[in-house]
Amino acid sequence: PSYKVHYVVSDYSIDSIDFMTSIGAESDGHETMINISKSDYNMPQNLNVLEMNESHYQDFVVLHSSTYPAAYWTGDLLLEETSTFRKFVVINNEELVGYSIVSDFGKPEEEIYFVYGKTIEIKLNLVATSLNSAFERCESVQLLLDVNEVKELHFFKEIGFRKKEVIITFSFQL
């Protein structure tokens, strides 16, 4: 059988980057890791965000598949995980216009795995709801911004996020 390996390195790990390049590993770019502590958070929850339920599942899977087509965590896999993720949505005129997925692993730092919004306002409301949920059980939350989302970094800094590091994910077949 063939296996796909994903290897994550910090952008300052030049030797690892050189090695991954030398073996022909591929990368679709870098992600900027940002995090926020409970004490730095300064945005209230928005009531337009709902907890995801079965009536949202089909639209969620379609939207997630088109937004993150290469993600390990497919829409179906996320829906199967009922105890390790909290899932939120924004509905506008009966259309799913945003969603967020935040971990619930019981760790001191949780992670917003996915956040999508048709507008930055929707996205920030989803982040706020995800943070309010996570801060009930942890002290800090991290979020990865892909190369297309880095332009939004200033919005996240206004909420209280700080840049932690830049990471690169390589993949190759065994």
Side-chain angles (χ1 to χ4, degrees):
S2 178
Y3 297 96
K4 187 172 189 174
V5 176
H6 297 271
Y7 185 73
V8 179
V9 299
S10 292
D11 67 339
Y12 60 81
S13 184
I14 303 303
D15 290 339
S16 294
I17 293 169
D18 289 345
F19 174 73
M20 296 307 289
T21 303
S22 75
I23 65 169
E26 297 179 357
S27 172
D28 58 1
H30 63 276
E31 296 175 299
T32 301
M33 184 182 297
I34 59 177
N35 73 334
I36 186 170
S37 65
K38 188 186 292 190
S39 61
D40 291 333
Y41 176 57
N42 57 29
M43 188 171 172
Q45 182 170 354
N46 184 293
L47 300 177
N48 292 329
V49 178
L50 309 169
E51 188 122 20
M52 186 184 297
N53 64 50
E54 286 185 30
S55 70
H56 308 122
Y57 288 179
Q58 184 176 358
D59 291 339
F60 164 72
V61 169
V62 170
L63 182 57
H64 184 70
S65 296
S66 65
T67 306
Y68 299 101
Y72 167 79
W73 285 105
T74 64
D76 289 323
L77 274 177
L78 287 165
L79 292 177
E80 288 175 18
E81 292 293 329
T82 57
S83 64
T84 52
F85 294 105
R86 301 277 316 269
K87 305 162 189 89
F88 301 98
V89 296
V90 173
I91 306 297
N92 188 4
N93 294 324
E94 299 183 27
E95 177 189 1
L96 179 67
V97 295
Y99 68 90
S100 64
I101 309 294
V102 62
S103 64
D104 189 2
F105 296 128
K107 296 181 177 181
E109 181 172 72
E110 296 289 356
E111 180 175 352
I112 299 173
Y113 272 63
F114 299 100
V115 60
Y116 166 81
K118 278 197 170 183
T119 66
I120 189 64
E121 292 81 13
I122 292 170
K123 193 173 201 176
L124 292 174
N125 285 333
L126 285 157
V127 167
T129 300
S130 297
L131 291 174
N132 285 331
S133 170
F135 286 146
E136 292 174 2
R137 59 191 180 281
C138 74
E139 292 300 313
S140 67
V141 176
Q142 74 176 13
L143 170 64
L144 295 176
L145 301 177
D146 69 24
V147 292
N148 299 314
E149 295 172 313
V150 171
K151 65 185 179 292
E152 300 169 348
L153 181 59
H154 65 281
F155 292 112
F156 294 101
K157 285 184 174 182
E158 289 175 14
I159 297 171
F161 277 94
R162 295 184 177 149
K163 185 174 175 181
K164 189 172 181 180
E165 67 179 314
V166 175
I167 62 170
I168 304 168
T169 302
F170 288 95
S171 63
F172 57 95
Q173 295 285 0
L174 281 182

